[in-house]
Amino acid sequence: MNFYEETIKSTSIYKGNVTEYIVEEVKLPNGEMSQREIVRHAGASAVIPFTQSGEIVLVKQYRKAIDQVSIEIPAGLKDASDLDGLHTAKRELEEETDYNAKSWKFVTSFYSTPGFTDEFLEIYEATDLYIVDDSLTQDDDETVEVIIATYDEAWDLYEQGLLRDSKTVFALFYWKMKKLEMKLGE
């Protein structure tokens, strides 16, 4: 079966600092015409940071798109100077939390919402955290509070509806899987 949609016309309707909004006229596999609204995105990285005592480092911030406070794993956009997703993850962890890590591991990557955006997110696990003395500064438009949470505290935040974004929900289930694997390995 043919799924390909041929782009007939592509129009940029807005280009911002983070995203670009495109309207595409496409020819469907059945020959019919349709329109697609697409948000182009440079990509991002996120970090699942674990302290030496086995807690997770989270950040609390206001998210205007949902008009509420959100508690999330540290994450951010790829900058033009970033060599790769790991570089982005390291920079964002330090900017948002003042932590860095001795050990880094790639966990997964995925398209956040391919129905309307090409945002590609890479997730890394960071362990053996340490405080950076002269850390990178936060972005001017960011106001974040660092939260150190145990496994149970993180799940309580989820149940209270304070921890709801996809990358952080993924991080919770990743943590749950790690705990289960450790238990089965005993």
Side-chain angles (χ1 to χ4, degrees):
M1 179 174 264
N2 179 18
F3 292 97
Y4 180 72
E5 296 180 359
E6 179 186 355
T7 302
I8 303 302
K9 181 181 178 188
S10 184
T11 306
S12 175
I13 58 173
Y14 177 78
K15 184 169 177 54
N17 294 327
V18 176
T19 57
E20 181 176 10
Y21 300 84
I22 308 289
V23 176
E24 291 194 348
E25 292 179 36
V26 299
K27 184 175 182 180
L28 302 174
N30 66 5
E32 298 290 320
M33 297 299 290
S34 189
Q35 193 175 64
R36 301 289 185 237
E37 298 171 6
I38 300 169
V39 178
R40 298 283 182 214
H41 190 282
S45 289
V47 185
I48 307 171
F50 292 113
T51 66
Q52 291 181 2
S53 58
E55 298 165 312
I56 194 166
V57 178
L58 302 167
V59 291
K60 181 179 185 178
Q61 57 192 324
Y62 188 80
R63 293 296 197 181
K64 187 60 184 168
I66 59 173
D67 244 348
Q68 64 186 32
V69 169
S70 181
I71 297 175
E72 307 172 6
I73 59 175
L77 303 171
K78 287 186 178 175
D79 286 350
S81 64
D82 289 343
L83 304 173
D84 54 28
L86 179 59
H87 187 264
T88 304
K90 288 179 177 181
R91 179 180 48 75
E92 288 295 334
L93 179 64
E94 187 175 325
E95 283 178 5
E96 293 185 358
T97 70
D98 294 333
Y99 280 102
N100 205 325
K102 293 179 184 172
S103 180
W104 290 86
K105 180 177 96 171
F106 175 78
V107 175
T108 194
S109 59
F110 52 83
Y111 290 100
S112 63
T113 315
F116 71 90
T117 182
D118 63 355
E119 179 188 24
F120 191 70
L121 181 66
E122 296 176 49
I123 300 183
Y124 296 85
E125 178 181 346
T127 55
D128 296 324
L129 299 182
Y130 60 92
I131 295 287
V132 177
D133 291 330
D134 189 22
S135 65
L136 299 171
T137 58
Q138 288 179 10
D139 293 337
D140 292 336
D141 63 349
E142 280 186 317
T143 304
V144 300
E145 175 186 330
V146 175
I147 297 173
I148 310 293
T150 65
Y151 179 79
D152 290 336
E153 290 168 341
W155 279 99
D156 285 345
L157 292 168
Y158 172 75
E159 290 169 7
Q160 293 172 37
L162 297 172
L163 188 156
R164 281 286 189 256
D165 81 295
S166 60
K167 68 186 178 301
T168 309
V169 171
F170 170 85
L172 283 182
F173 281 94
Y174 174 80
W175 196 2
K176 185 175 189 174
M177 181 187 68
K178 282 180 58 97
K179 290 178 98 39
L180 181 60
E181 286 174 353
M182 287 174 54
K183 189 174 185 176
L184 290 174
E186 292 177 348

